[in-house]
Structure formats: C-alpha cells, structure tokens
Amino acid sequence: MFLDILKAFIVGGIICAAGQLLIDYTKLTPARILTGYVVAGVVLSAVGIYKPIAEFAGAGATVPLTGFGHLLAEGIRKSVAEDGFLGVFTGGLTSAAGGITAAILFGLIAAAVFKQKDKK
C-alpha cells in the first residue's frame, strides 16, 4: 500500500512540476497549459503510452488533467468499438459524465454557501 502511495506521489509530482516549469519559463497562460494537459492525455492515450502510466501510478496519473484526457480517449475508444462512428461523438461525454456532474454540483454548492467578493 505504501508503495502505491509513493508511486502516485512521484508520478503526480512530476506532472505538476512540469506544469510549474511551463508557468515559470514560458509565456503560456495557465489556461493554455491546462488545455495542453488535457490534449496531451488524449494523445498519449491514443498512442498507448498513458494507460501503462495510469496503471502504474493510479491516482497520481488519473487525477491530474492528463487523466481527464485519458478518460475521454478511453471512453471514445470503447464507444467506437460498440457503436461505430457515432461513438466518436458520444463516448467522451459518456465516460466523463460522473466527473462533470460532480464538478457542476460542487460548484453550485460552493456558490450557494459562500458569499461573492469583488477582486479589489
């Protein structure tokens, strides 16, 4: 169990450190970096690299945004195998529906509980 935690910590830390280096040493905006992470997860999953990383590191690879891209790619792959070409359009949202729903629900709860403040 400790080894699993250590692997998740190391792989997740490497992913986060790469993002921090991009923020510190490039002119990329955080939004572009985050989008790039999702796209990188899709591309790495499409070429078969991300699945072994996710199996090795567990939450260290599935929780960051690259894991979201991997989830979308795997959902599309499964849906295309089952439904054909239509799966290209439905697979990603079907596989990520739980996470998207949770994000919307928790955002709604946070908006209802906390008072809005100006950025002054």
Side-chain angles (χ1 to χ4, degrees):
M1 180 170 156
F2 177 74
L3 189 59
D4 293 335
I5 295 169
L6 183 63
K7 289 189 286 189
F9 179 77
I10 290 171
V11 172
I14 289 170
I15 292 170
C16 292
Q20 188 63 49
L21 290 172
L22 289 172
I23 289 171
D24 290 344
Y25 296 111
T26 68
K27 294 186 181 208
L28 293 172
T29 63
R32 288 185 178 180
I33 294 169
L34 296 175
T35 304
Y37 266 39
V38 174
V39 172
V42 171
V43 170
L44 291 173
S45 183
V47 296
I49 295 174
Y50 205 79
K51 187 171 186 173
I53 295 171
E55 289 172 355
F56 172 78
T62 58
V63 171
L65 281 174
T66 50
F68 181 67
H70 172 67
L71 177 70
L72 292 174
E74 288 298 312
I76 291 170
R77 183 178 319 200
K78 180 181 175 188
S79 188
V80 165
E82 293 174 0
D83 302 330
F85 183 70
L86 185 62
V88 172
F89 303 106
T90 61
L93 289 177
T94 302
S95 67
I100 294 170
T101 302
I104 292 171
L105 178 65
F106 291 131
L108 178 66
I109 291 170
V113 171
F114 297 103
K115 186 176 178 181
Q116 180 180 357
K117 297 179 184 177
D118 290 332
K119 289 188 172 183
K120 294 180 183 181

